[in-house]
Amino acid sequence: MDTTTIGHTPLEPCSYLSDRHQCNILIKKEYHNLNKTSKDRPAWHMIQQAIKSGKLKPGYTIVEASSGNTGIGIAQIAQQLGYPCCIFVTKDCAREKLALLRQLGAQIFICDNSNGIDDLLSSQFQAAHYAANNPSCFFTDQYNNPQNPLAHYLTTGPEIWDQSHGKVSHFFAGIGTGGTISGIGQYLKSKNNTIQICGIEPHGSILQYYKEHGSAPPKTSTMDKIDGIGRRFIPGTFAPNHIDNILQVSRQETISCAHDYYEATGTLLGFSSAAVLVGLEQYLQQDNPHPPQDMVLLFADYGDRYLNSLYPSLKEKQVQYDKL
């Protein structure tokens, strides 16, 4: 398999955001990966390590619980390497993602929610149960597999450091499994501990509380639906000690920010990328002891996978996509 199409994504300045916020803002464009998502990196690392360790043998079926993008990465790699795969998604998975999973030959199971292994109706429980009760299966388990954050520690973090010439002062990313921000945060902190690592999650997610208190909240509230980020359980791949701030944003603010960005730049942001912009606005409005200098925003995927849910007015129109 040609893995040169995974990683080595560009880090480019954004004049619109830089002018608006009066500091240097750069975008890590993860939609330049093979399947236009940052999730290609851990998908490849999880499968590669499983093959090397002998846990994934020829003829085995790869199983995963995913909001879509990790599943797409796994389905693409599985298809190219000759493995069947089963992807467990929630009932509100984006239609565009479901269509692509089917196109890649994945067997899809629709689950009620993504509330973690303790919920019998969740995609995580259903995937783990399927893998445990069917012979010749390997459960990649992105929420607990150390190859998830390690993929970003080994690749995305060094890319950002090198591409910014070591000048990065802040890094922003959405938090879903926690693998992306934990791996990148660990690497950047190892190079310069003063770099501020800022995570973004929806209102109602529990990771901000967990970072502040070291435990899950005694009770939970309704969580805003922002594709790809937010959790109602603590993933094993989430390492809050590598993160300085976690900011919570609303779905409506995220939608508004996505449309404003498209109007200004002609670029369709994915849901989590637009949420990062809302978090950036919040951060810059605070009285923060760490002044912004070179701020890196991770755009995890592109907006053409959310035309129905995020850009319905553009669905029937010819939209101008970012040049890949």
Side-chain angles (χ1 to χ4, degrees), residues 160-216:
I160 290 170
W161 179 258
D162 292 342
Q163 291 169 324
S164 70
H165 306 290
K167 294 181 179 180
V168 53
S169 64
H170 295 69
F171 173 74
F172 287 76
I175 310 179
T177 66
T180 301
I181 196 166
S182 298
I184 295 171
Q186 182 181 5
Y187 182 85
L188 293 179
K189 289 285 192 181
S190 75
K191 303 300 288 186
N192 179 357
N193 194 47
T194 68
I195 297 172
Q196 296 298 290
I197 309 299
C198 303
I200 314 300
E201 66 173 356
H203 288 306
S205 180
I206 68 171
L207 301 180
Q208 182 191 67
Y209 185 97
Y210 181 79
K211 174 173 171 54
E212 293 177 358
H213 301 277
S215 63

Side-chain angles (χ1 to χ4, degrees), residues 46-63 78 81-85 135-140:
M46 290 189 296
I47 291 174
Q48 182 185 49
Q49 182 59 32
I51 293 171
K52 285 182 178 180
S53 67
K55 294 178 180 178
L56 177 56
K57 304 179 189 301
Y60 272 34
T61 297
I62 304 173
V63 179
L81 296 181
Y83 293 94
C85 72
S136 303
C137 283
F138 173 70
F139 181 29
T140 43

Side-chain angles (χ1 to χ4, degrees), residues 24-35:
N24 190 33
I25 296 179
L26 304 109
I27 309 300
K28 183 61 170 168
K29 297 184 175 182
E30 284 294 278
Y31 48 82
H32 283 255
N33 281 301
L34 174 65
N35 292 294

Side-chain angles (χ1 to χ4, degrees), residues 9-21 23-29 31-32 160 163-165 261 264-265 267 277 280 293-297 299 322:
T9 57
L11 180 70
E12 297 178 352
C14 177
S15 57
Y16 164 67
L17 293 175
S18 297
D19 291 345
R20 178 171 177 168
H21 297 297
C23 59
N24 190 33
I25 296 179
L26 304 109
I27 309 300
K28 183 61 170 168
K29 297 184 175 182
Y31 48 82
H32 283 255
I160 290 170
Q163 291 169 324
S164 70
H165 306 290
Y261 193 82
T265 68
T267 297
L277 292 186
L280 173 69
Q293 297 170 18
D294 292 87
M295 311 184 84
V296 173
L297 315 182
F299 283 0
D322 200 18

Side-chain angles (χ1 to χ4, degrees), residues 89-319:
V89 301
T90 59
K91 58 188 178 183
D92 55 2
C93 182
R95 280 185 261 170
E96 296 88 350
K97 293 180 182 179
L98 290 173
L100 185 50
L101 283 169
R102 293 189 183 98
Q103 183 181 327
L104 291 169
Q107 185 176 4
I108 301 170
F109 293 87
I110 308 294
C111 303
D112 187 69
N113 63 67
S114 180
N115 290 345
I117 199 73
D118 293 330
D119 189 321
L120 301 187
L121 299 178
S122 73
S123 57
Q124 291 83 14
F125 177 86
Q126 293 293 325
H129 184 265
Y130 181 94
N133 288 277
N134 285 276
S136 303
C137 283
F138 173 70
F139 181 29
T140 43
D141 193 11
Q142 63 169 323
Y143 292 94
N144 295 289
N145 192 325
Q147 293 300 318
N148 177 354
L150 184 60
H152 292 287
Y153 179 85
L154 294 175
T155 67
T156 328
E159 286 174 28
I160 290 170
W161 179 258
D162 292 342
Q163 291 169 324
S164 70
H165 306 290
K167 294 181 179 180
V168 53
S169 64
H170 295 69
F171 173 74
F172 287 76
I175 310 179
T177 66
T180 301
I181 196 166
S182 298
I184 295 171
Q186 182 181 5
Y187 182 85
L188 293 179
K189 289 285 192 181
S190 75
K191 303 300 288 186
N192 179 357
N193 194 47
T194 68
I195 297 172
Q196 296 298 290
I197 309 299
C198 303
I200 314 300
E201 66 173 356
H203 288 306
S205 180
I206 68 171
L207 301 180
Q208 182 191 67
Y209 185 97
Y210 181 79
K211 174 173 171 54
E212 293 177 358
H213 301 277
S215 63
K219 59 181 180 179
T220 58
S221 57
T222 302
M223 185 172 71
D224 272 18
K225 171 63 178 173
I226 300 179
D227 287 53
I229 61 173
R231 290 274 75 87
R232 304 194 69 95
F233 64 96
I234 309 301
T237 48
F238 174 60
N241 54 310
H242 302 310
I243 303 168
D244 295 288
N245 295 282
I246 296 179
L247 302 158
Q248 294 200 334
V249 303
S250 75
R251 176 182 174 89
Q252 193 51 54
E253 287 176 309
T254 297
I255 293 172
S256 178
C257 223
H259 284 255
D260 289 346
Y261 193 82
Y262 173 71
E263 290 297 323
T265 68
T267 297
L268 293 175
L269 298 183
F271 245 118
S272 65
S273 304
V276 166
L277 292 186
V278 182
L280 173 69
E281 296 265 5
Q282 280 189 28
Y283 183 88
L284 292 174
Q285 289 170 6
Q286 297 173 356
D287 184 16
N288 199 288
H290 302 278
Q293 297 170 18
D294 292 87
M295 311 184 84
V296 173
L297 315 182
L298 185 132
F299 283 0
D301 67 355
Y302 204 61
D304 55 349
R305 289 189 179 153
Y306 307 95
L307 291 182
N308 286 284
S309 56
L310 186 52
Y311 303 100
S313 63
L314 300 176
K315 186 173 58 173
E316 304 300 329
K317 296 180 181 179
Q318 181 69 32
V319 294

